[in-house]
């Protein structure tokens, strides 16, 4: 790395010269799939951009958003699909059934769409108890009703014992995008205000606590929730939001990096303004994790034009899922494609895209 462009000391408003940077381990030079390819970080991005996208082609796929915005029969639709492989199947605050609904509903909401219909595919391992499958199905149905979406079609497959992990679920969803709504990272401009809807890291730490049998002194529950209502509240203030993203795999850091890269702007966040609950902060400190990279399942990050930021923030805080919403930073013209955090000690650090996932099998 050039000595004159060290990211830990460069001022965030000064453009960084990254032309001389190199990666010591080329990420594409891997002959086999590793767990990090599913973690939502740099390996996932490489897999999509250099294997799947060239194989599939298409202008819609090239958007690489949480969901695809398509026009069909004169209406604009959001269309998304996701697969859920969380372990354990049931955790504090939710289950794989809740995730399978809320995750896809939220991907549609990030395009401004109200989810209307879901498909649901179950992949069951031979030998899994029917009572477990029933619990997952009941949780999925209850979550769909709570989100106001109908499971309209589905499929079931069974794999041999030892070739699965009990239950995997895939859901796909469609919803209408309202007129005047255009949410995509390419609309981000310097000066946009970055707002996060609440406390981060709860889902990842909740999974970790039950998976590894760890005790952190307090009960931590996943934030798993459907965000459609919160998004409608925000759009009622102004349809001119620039981009929304739910920071799931890879956490807030991955979401901000994806937006910065796609928009060609830099992002500066104030580390002390990011709402991290004490229980998550303490757990991460014990385990050597960074809360910015921990998965969430009921939060969003928004890039909002500065003139609308105060009104949008007030509306978010009046909604149950946004009462801890906070302004954490802004988009800047400097260091395009990079996310920089200003620390409490007055320094800065680059918040890079994670390689994989700090905790795999998270959603």
């Amino acid at each position: 790395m050039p000595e004159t462009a060290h990211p830990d000391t460069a001022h965030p408003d000064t453009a960084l010269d990254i032309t001389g940077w190199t990666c010591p381990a080329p990420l594409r030079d891997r002959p086999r799939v590793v767990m990090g390819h599913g973690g939502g970080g740099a390996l996932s991005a490489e897999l999509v951009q250099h294997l799947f996208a060239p194989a599939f082609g298409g202008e819609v796929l090239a958007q690489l958003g949480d969901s695809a915005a398509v026009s069909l029969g004169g209406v604009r639709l959001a269309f998304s699909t996701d697969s859920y492989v969380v372990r354990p199947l049931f955790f504090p605050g939710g289950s794989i059934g809740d995730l399978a609904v809320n995750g896809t509903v939220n991907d549609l909401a990030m395009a401004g769409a109200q989810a209307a219909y879901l498909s649901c595919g179950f992949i069951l391992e031979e030998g899994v108890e029917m009572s477990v499958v029933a619990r997952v199905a009941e949780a999925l149905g209850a979550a769909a009703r709570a989100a106001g979406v109908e499971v309209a079609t589905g499929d079931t497959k069974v794999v041999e014992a030892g070739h699965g992990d009990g239950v995997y679920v895939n859901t796909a969803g469609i919803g209408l995008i309202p007129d005047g709504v255009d949410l995509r990272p390419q609309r981000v401009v310097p000066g946009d205000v970055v707002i996060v809807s609440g406390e981060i890291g709860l889902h990842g730490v909740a999974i970790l606590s039950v998976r590894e049998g760890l005790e952190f002194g307090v009960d931590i529950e996943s934030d798993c929730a459907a965000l459609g209502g919160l998004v409608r509240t925000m759009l009622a203030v102004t349809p001119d939001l620039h981009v929304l993203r739910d920071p799931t795999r890879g956490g807030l850091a991955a979401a901000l990096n994806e937006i910065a890269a796609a928009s060609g702007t830099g992002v500066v966040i104030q580390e002390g303004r990011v709402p991290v609950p004490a229980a998550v902060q303490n757990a991460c400190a014990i385990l050597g994790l960074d809360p910015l990279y921990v998965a969430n399942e009921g939060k969003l990050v928004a890039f909002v034009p500065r003139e609308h930021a105060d009104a949008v923030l007030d509306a978010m805080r009046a909604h149950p899922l946004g009462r801890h919403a906070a302004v954490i930073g802004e988009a800047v013209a400097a260091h395009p494609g990079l996310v920089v955090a200003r620390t409490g000690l007055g320094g800065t650090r680059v918040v890079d895209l994670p390689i994989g996932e700090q905790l795999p099998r998270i959603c």
Side-chain angles (χ1 to χ4, degrees), residues 96-169:
I96 191 172
D98 299 285
L99 287 176
V101 171
N102 294 338
T104 297
V105 165
N106 291 347
D107 283 347
L108 297 173
M110 297 308 102
Q114 170 64 36
Y117 298 102
L118 295 180
S119 70
C120 178
F122 274 74
I123 300 176
L124 308 176
E125 182 183 13
E126 181 185 20
V128 67
E129 296 87 351
M130 283 293 184
S131 60
V132 170
V133 180
R135 286 181 63 192
V136 172
E138 290 165 1
L140 194 153
R145 289 187 290 273
V149 63
E150 181 179 348
V151 179
T153 187
D155 182 52
T156 303
K157 293 293 187 294
V158 177
V159 298
E160 296 89 346
H163 291 265
D165 197 10
V167 179
Y168 298 152
V169 182

Side-chain angles (χ1 to χ4, degrees), residues 6 12 34 100 103-104 130 199 225 235 270 282 289 308 339 349:
H6 198 288
V34 298
T104 297
M130 283 293 184
E199 296 175 327
L235 291 174
Q270 302 288 340
N282 293 338
L289 305 178
H308 301 304
V339 180
R349 68 182 179 97

Side-chain angles (χ1 to χ4, degrees), residues 16 82 95 125 139 143 182 184 190 197 238 244 276 284 307 312 320 325:
L16 299 179
D82 210 337
S95 70
E125 182 183 13
D182 183 16
R184 49 192 173 90
S197 65
T238 175
L244 303 177
V276 181
C284 288
E307 63 268 25
V312 170

